[in-house]
Amino acid sequence: QKEVEQNSGPLSVPEGAIASLNCTYSDRGSQSFFWYRQYSGKSPELIMSIYSNGDKEDGRFTAQLNKASQYVSLLIRDSQPSDSATYLCAHGGGNNRLAFGKGNQVVVIP
Amino acid sequence: EPEVTQTPSHQVTQMGQEVILRCVPISNHLYFYWYRQILGQKVEFLVSFYNNEISEKSEIFDDQFSVERPDGSNFTLKIRSTKLEDSAMYFCASSASGSSGNTIYFGEGSWLTVV
């Protein structure tokens, strides 16, 4: 069973601050990891993918992967009200089957 | 920008009825998927489809579910005899290839309510 855990409760951050989200996974064989953003009632939207240990930056987003610790994180710098959403961690397996975590809700306070 | 389109956006059906959810994947994509999300829960994989056959399915995808690509553009999910617990948002998705790490694009979803 491929499990993805996102255990933090809702995260409230002031506008302009950094939001930090964490995720752990159980499948040591996973090679691909993703962060999706999901607005209420909408579909998941890919914002970051990461495949190698270390950091990957894309605009205001930075993903960090540590395969030894089975841990992946997402930092959102200069948080904006439009970043208020649920962030889903996922990893990919064979046939591109994605296993999702339950998500972390982020609320950016103006 | 190419997108995955789904119809209907919302369907209400009586328990025991058959439902067909339709999807038009991105035109040059070869791999198609259905996922579902029960309200307040995680997005769950149902099935992947390639070359006109199922390539993988989850334990959720039992005999009441089937998928089909009836023509060159549509990809459908049929639920034969709906149950209350089938109420969920169903997302169709597609990708250009099936390799792990290839970007999967999701449609906007079909919200199914079984009463």
Side-chain angles (χ1 to χ4, degrees), chain A residues 95-96, chain B residues 29-31 33 94-100 102-104:
Chain A
N95 291 314
N96 227 357
Chain B
H29 284 184
L30 302 176
Y31 291 79
Y33 315 87
S94 69
S95 64
S97 85
S99 61
S100 175
N102 196 255
T103 300
I104 294 178

Side-chain angles (χ1 to χ4, degrees), chain A residues 6 11 15 22 27 29 32 34 39-40 43 50 56-58 66 68 70 79-80 87 96 101:
Chain A
Q6 295 179 258
L11 179 65
E15 184 174 354
N22 302 313
D27 184 359
S32 54
F34 308 91
Y39 294 112
S40 181
S43 62
I50 187 166
K56 179 181 177 182
E57 186 175 317
D58 184 0
N66 184 325
Q70 296 175 249
S79 296
Q80 301 297 308
Y87 290 80
N96 227 357

Side-chain angles (χ1 to χ4, degrees), chain A residues 9 31 52 56 73:
Chain A
Q31 297 296 318
S52 306
K56 179 181 177 182
S73 66

Side-chain angles (χ1 to χ4, degrees), chain B residues 3-95:
Chain B
E3 58 181 19
V4 177
T5 58
Q6 291 185 241
T7 55
S9 57
H10 189 188
Q11 181 160 354
V12 181
T13 190
Q14 287 200 325
M15 191 169 53
Q17 295 297 304
E18 176 181 285
V19 161
I20 297 177
L21 305 178
R22 291 181 169 81
C23 168
V24 178
I26 294 173
S27 62
N28 63 342
H29 284 184
L30 302 176
Y31 291 79
F32 315 118
Y33 315 87
W34 284 100
Y35 287 78
R36 79 171 186 190
Q37 187 175 30
I38 295 170
L39 187 63
Q41 297 189 24
K42 61 176 69 175
V43 177
E44 301 173 292
F45 170 81
L46 293 179
V47 66
S48 58
F49 190 88
Y50 169 71
N51 199 26
N52 282 319
E53 61 183 26
I54 291 173
S55 44
E56 189 175 358
K57 60 183 180 180
S58 73
E59 55 279 0
I60 301 169
F61 195 88
D62 61 22
D63 290 345
Q64 70 161 343
F65 291 94
S66 62
V67 289
E68 191 178 30
R69 188 158 163 83
D71 54 41
S73 59
N74 289 287
F75 179 51
T76 63
L77 174 69
K78 182 190 291 186
I79 309 174
R80 255 179 281 281
S81 178
T82 50
K83 302 189 284 262
L84 295 176
E85 54 265 38
D86 294 327
S87 295
M89 180 77 92
Y90 288 81
F91 294 109
C92 177
S94 69
S95 64

Side-chain angles (χ1 to χ4, degrees), chain A residues 63-103:
Chain A
Q64 299 173 315
L65 174 61
N66 184 325
K67 290 185 180 180
S69 300
Q70 296 175 249
Y71 172 95
V72 59
S73 66
L74 179 72
L75 297 176
I76 307 172
R77 289 183 301 283
D78 187 23
S79 296
Q80 301 297 308
S82 59
D83 294 329
S84 296
T86 297
Y87 290 80
L88 311 178
C89 175
H91 69 81
N95 291 314
N96 227 357
R97 171 178 180 164
L98 292 176
F100 284 89
K102 198 170 178 182

Side-chain angles (χ1 to χ4, degrees), chain A residues 2 9-10 13 20-21 23 29 36-37 39 65 85 89 96 100-101 108:
Chain A
K2 300 178 181 178
V13 295
S20 177
L21 304 171
C23 170
Y36 283 82
R37 177 175 61 201
Y39 294 112
L65 174 61
C89 175
N96 227 357
F100 284 89
V108 180

